[in-house]
């Protein structure tokens, strides 16, 4: 394994004095550096960055990171921009509790379809086009919120704005193509966490904009409408930036690479079939439905809940609600980091245990939130719930990139759509009728989270094992090359279509964990021509 794992410090890339040193970085020292590649950051054999320098704008890796999370954050701001203004909007449009609940369901239901589509777009056209076009195409729907006149229009517009949340899929796909698997949990967690932070930012931003417009002389019913022009213009601005400054892959844009023959085209039917026939895909769809899904649900109801239950004013309720979403600044990156840290010591089995622990804790604190009768206890339980749920999101996408190399986009899209489906279902059951109070709904949602986290125990990788079971004893099936190579048939292998999967397999051997990371790979596991 010496030629695969390498020796820490064996490469001089990064210590030549030419690269800037940044205050915060996460490195992947166990993976060999490609000394022939010319990038600002050290890269592996797939030209994925081995180092994550948070305050760098190194092209293309770190520039892509910042474009990705900011565009996703913009979509979160617009999708949930109505939530902190609901006390004003409901009076203007004469909305009932059922109307408000249905609008909340609609806001997260639209992206079920767009996230599924975005996965295919990323696999076939690249994440740059997917992200840029979606964020610009949904800009008119954000502006349309200023002109709604009744409950039906309000629900329809929130449904259409929600399509923009599919930028989450392009965000996670993009990070997985730019950064090495050893640090992907941290990178995915930070990009998505900072993007999700828009759910908290909008709780502060929209009441602030509303107050400024009202202070300028507008009536309350006019001020909230004008406020929606701000997120609308942000959509257009970020779409142009992504289109002009983004890059699909470390070596260039997907279309150009396919024309030059450097990147091979795949068949959508086979990519899709490979994704839906992998049982792990469906488990992560469910798991994400009750980590990200409940976060989206809470973004929709928490401000109104605090406003009504504790008799707060609009701004105070918005500030408290904002702490739920703003926890993404550290919570989701922490979940990704915890996943990577556990993997260094215990391999994939460590990642699975971290996910189960974080998501179960989040469910427990959600249950507690529903029973809270004082404002301090409600705030404490809400923050702990947000940390558990958001960290679980980060831990989930510390594992998803390993489910499949060939169908990464489709599986990321399905998992992301699972988050929206779980949110829509939970909101429909607990918060869209008068059957349950909001407090009871939160408690029951906590129970549902803990129950729906149990299937993580069924996830087993033959080369790495599961929470309770060891890897396969079969000499061939217990290799990374066999797992990722089995996604291709013999005819495709003869054409060399599987070469990217074999490179990924070599770079993912670190998932064996600290105790077995240096174990030798059986001879002939990797074809000689690769």
């Amino acid at each position: 394994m010496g030629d695969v794992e390498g020796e820490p410090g064996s490469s001089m890339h990064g210590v030549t004095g030419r690269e800037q040193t940044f205050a915060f970085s996460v490195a992947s020292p166990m993976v060999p550096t490609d000394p022939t590649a010319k990038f600002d950051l050290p890269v592996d054999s797939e030209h994925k960055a081995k180092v994550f320098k948070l305050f760098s704008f190194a092209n293309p890796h770190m520039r892509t990171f910042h474009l990705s999370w900011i565009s996703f954050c913009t979509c979160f701001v617009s999708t949930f921009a109505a939530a902190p203004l609901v006390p004003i909007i409901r009076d203007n449009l004469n909305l009932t509790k059922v109307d408000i609940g249905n609008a909340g369901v609609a806001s997260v239901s639209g992206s079920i379809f767009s996230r599924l589509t975005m996965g295919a777009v990323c696999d076939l056209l690249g994440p740059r086009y997917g992200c840029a076009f979606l964020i610009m195409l949904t800009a008119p729907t954000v502006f349309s919120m200023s002109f709604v006149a009744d409950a039906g229009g309000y629900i329809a517009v929130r449904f259409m704005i929600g399509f923009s949340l599919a930028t989450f899929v392009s965000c996670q796909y993009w990070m997985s193509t730019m950064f090495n698997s050893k640090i992907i949990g941290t990178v995915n967690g930070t990009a998505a966490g900072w993007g999700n932070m828009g759910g908290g930012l909008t709780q502060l931003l929209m009441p602030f904009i509303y107050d400024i417009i009202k202070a300028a002389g507008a009536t309350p019913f006019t001020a909230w409408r004008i406020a929606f022009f701000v997120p609308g213009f942000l959509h257009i601005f970020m779409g142009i930036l992504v289109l002009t400054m983004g890059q699909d892959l470390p070596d260039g844009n997907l279309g150009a690479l396919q024309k030059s023959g450097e990147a091979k085209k795949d068949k959508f039917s086979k990519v899709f079939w490979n994704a839906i026939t992998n049982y792990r895909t469906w488990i992560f769809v469910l798991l994400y439905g009750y980590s990200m899904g409940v976060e989206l649900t809470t973004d929709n109801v928490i401000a109104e809940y605090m406003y009504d239950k504790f008799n707060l004013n609009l701004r105070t309720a918005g500030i408290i609600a904002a702490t739920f979403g703003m926890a993404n600044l550290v919570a989701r990156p922490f979940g990704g980091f915890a996943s990577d840290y556990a993997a260094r010591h215990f391999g994939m089995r460590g990642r699975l245990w971290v996910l189960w622990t974080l998501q179960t804790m989040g469910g427990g604190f959600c249950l507690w939130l529903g029973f809270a009768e004082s404002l301090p206890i409600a705030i404490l339980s809400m923050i702990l719930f947000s940390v558990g749920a958001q960290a679980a999101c980060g831990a989930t996408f510390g594992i998803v990139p390993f489910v499949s190399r060939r169908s990464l986009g489709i599986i990321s899209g399905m998992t992301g759509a699972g988050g929206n489906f779980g949110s829509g279902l939970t909101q429909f059951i607990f918060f869209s009728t008068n059957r349950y109070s909001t407090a009871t709904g939160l408690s029951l949602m906590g129970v549902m989270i803990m129950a729906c986290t149990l299937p993580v125990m069924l996830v087993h990788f033959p080369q790495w094992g599961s929470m309770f079971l060891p890897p396969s004893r079969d000499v061939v099936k217990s290799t990374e090359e066999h797992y990722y190579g089995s996604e291709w048939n013999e005819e495709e292998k003869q054409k060399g279509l599987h070469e990217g999967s074999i490179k990924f397999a070599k770079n993912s051997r670190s998932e064996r964990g600290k105790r077995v990371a240096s174990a030798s790979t059986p001879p002939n596991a990797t074809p000689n021509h690769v």
Side-chain angles (χ1 to χ4, degrees):
M1 277 298 276
D3 60 329
V4 174
E5 297 297 337
E7 294 293 329
S10 61
S11 170
M12 292 300 292
H13 193 116
V15 292
T16 61
R18 292 177 295 176
E19 293 82 7
Q20 185 176 354
T21 300
F22 295 92
F24 175 78
S25 66
V26 179
S28 178
M30 294 179 64
V31 179
T33 298
D34 183 348
T36 65
K38 298 184 183 297
F39 293 95
D40 293 337
L41 301 178
V43 298
D44 61 17
S45 60
E46 296 179 275
H47 293 171
K48 296 180 180 180
K50 295 174 54 187
V51 175
F52 176 48
K53 293 185 175 180
L54 189 57
F55 302 113
S56 165
F57 286 87
N59 191 34
H61 303 91
M62 293 310 303
R63 180 187 293 182
T64 297
F65 166 78
H66 291 294
L67 286 173
S68 184
W69 80 260
I70 295 173
S71 59
F72 181 40
C73 182
T74 299
C75 295
F76 240 94
V77 167
S78 59
T79 299
F80 295 101
L85 300 180
V86 160
I88 308 300
I89 297 174
R90 70 185 178 188
D91 292 339
N92 186 190
L93 302 180
N94 297 315
L95 303 178
T96 65
K97 180 179 180 180
V98 173
D99 293 331
I100 295 170
N102 288 338
V105 173
S107 69
V108 297
S109 297
S111 61
I112 294 175
F113 310 106
S114 60
R115 286 187 171 190
L116 290 172
T117 304
M118 180 64 83
V121 170
C122 288
D123 277 327
L124 302 177
L125 299 179
R128 181 176 67 103
Y129 277 153
C131 179
F133 289 161
L134 180 62
I135 196 171
M136 286 194 286
L137 286 172
T138 50
T141 66
V142 182
F143 290 123
S144 297
M145 182 60 83
S146 301
F147 305 101
V148 297
D150 52 30
Y154 176 70
I155 294 171
V157 171
R158 290 209 66 187
F159 174 78
M160 291 186 289
I161 295 175
F163 274 70
S164 66
L165 289 183
T167 49
F168 164 78
V169 177
S170 60
C171 171
Q172 298 295 269
Y173 181 96
W174 225 344
M175 297 304 94
S176 297
T177 63
M178 287 287 179
F179 293 90
N180 177 262
S181 59
K182 188 70 176 173
I183 57 174
I184 195 58
T186 302
V187 178
N188 268 346
T190 305
W194 285 17
N196 286 0
M197 193 168 60
L201 180 61
T202 198
Q203 304 278 356
L204 297 173
L205 180 65
M206 295 306 289
F208 177 71
I209 296 172
Y210 166 80
D211 285 342
I212 290 178
I213 296 171
K214 193 173 70 169
T219 65
F221 290 172
T222 300
W224 76 261
R225 295 174 184 275
I226 298 175
F228 273 87
F229 278 82
V230 175
F233 282 120
L234 286 176
H235 269 241
I236 296 173
F237 178 70
M238 283 308 305
I240 294 172
L241 278 186
V242 169
L243 195 60
T244 56
M245 299 181 66
Q247 182 172 306
D248 289 319
L249 300 166
D251 296 315
N253 288 318
L254 183 60
L257 293 174
Q258 288 177 337
K259 288 181 180 179
S260 66
E262 295 180 60
K264 298 178 175 63
K265 292 184 178 180
D266 209 341
K267 291 184 178 180
F268 172 74
S269 58
K270 292 191 176 182
V271 174
F272 181 73
W273 179 253
N274 181 67
I276 63 174
T277 55
N278 189 325
Y279 80 92
R280 300 168 191 84
T281 300
W282 298 103
I283 292 179
F284 284 105
V285 168
L286 174 64
L287 291 170
Y288 204 61
Y290 287 92
S291 57
M292 184 62 195
V294 296
E295 180 184 346
L296 296 177
T297 297
T298 308
D299 280 335
N300 267 325
V301 304
I302 195 65
E304 185 186 17
Y305 174 65
M306 293 292 181
Y307 179 88
D308 292 333
K309 185 175 180 66
F310 299 106
N311 298 313
L312 305 175
N313 61 47
L314 187 63
R315 178 174 290 185
T316 303
I319 291 172
I320 294 173
T323 60
F324 183 86
M326 294 299 286
N328 273 292
L329 178 66
V330 293
R332 187 157 182 159
F334 167 74
F337 174 79
S339 180
D340 288 341
Y341 183 82
R344 282 197 287 272
H345 294 274
F346 306 105
M348 179 56 68
R349 302 176 75 178
R351 290 188 189 271
L352 295 169
W353 272 103
V354 165
L355 173 56
W356 177 82
T357 302
L358 291 172
Q359 194 155 321
T360 300
M361 288 175 59
F365 290 124
C366 182
L367 175 66
W368 186 26
L369 172 60
F371 285 106
E373 291 298 332
S374 67
L375 183 59
I377 295 299
I379 293 174
L380 175 62
S381 56
M382 181 196 70
I383 292 174
L384 293 174
F385 163 42
S386 70
V387 170
Q390 292 160 9
C393 292
T396 298
F397 273 85
I399 302 172
V400 167
F402 296 99
V403 174
S404 170
R405 170 62 170 77
R406 185 177 190 179
S407 303
L408 173 61
I410 296 289
I411 293 175
S412 296
M414 291 178 65
T415 304
N420 289 82
F421 181 80
S423 176
L425 180 64
T426 304
Q427 198 151 323
F428 176 76
I429 294 173
F430 299 129
F431 304 105
S432 295
T433 68
N434 294 316
R435 182 177 181 182
Y436 302 107
S437 66
T438 304
T440 301
L442 288 168
S443 294
L444 292 176
M445 186 168 71
V447 174
M448 206 165 181
I449 294 169
M450 292 185 282
C452 291
T453 304
L454 295 175
V456 72
M457 300 177 185
L458 302 177
V459 176
H460 183 273
F461 292 90
Q463 71 274 34
W464 299 317
S466 62
M467 285 178 64
F468 297 106
L469 298 177
S472 170
R473 294 184 180 181
D474 188 295
V475 175
V476 176
K477 292 183 179 181
S478 62
T479 65
E480 291 79 4
E481 287 83 355
H482 179 270
Y483 180 80
Y484 294 109
S486 64
E487 297 181 329
W488 307 86
N489 59 37
E490 289 303 319
E491 181 181 352
E492 291 168 331
K493 290 179 180 178
Q494 289 300 318
K495 295 178 181 179
L497 299 179
H498 71 310
E499 291 177 1
S501 294
I502 298 302
K503 286 182 180 180
F504 181 79
K506 290 182 178 180
N507 289 325
S508 66
R509 288 176 187 170
S510 56
E511 293 304 305
R512 299 175 182 182
K514 187 175 182 180
R515 291 176 297 176
V516 293
S518 61
S520 61
T521 298
N524 302 321
T526 305
N528 293 328
H529 67 277
V530 175

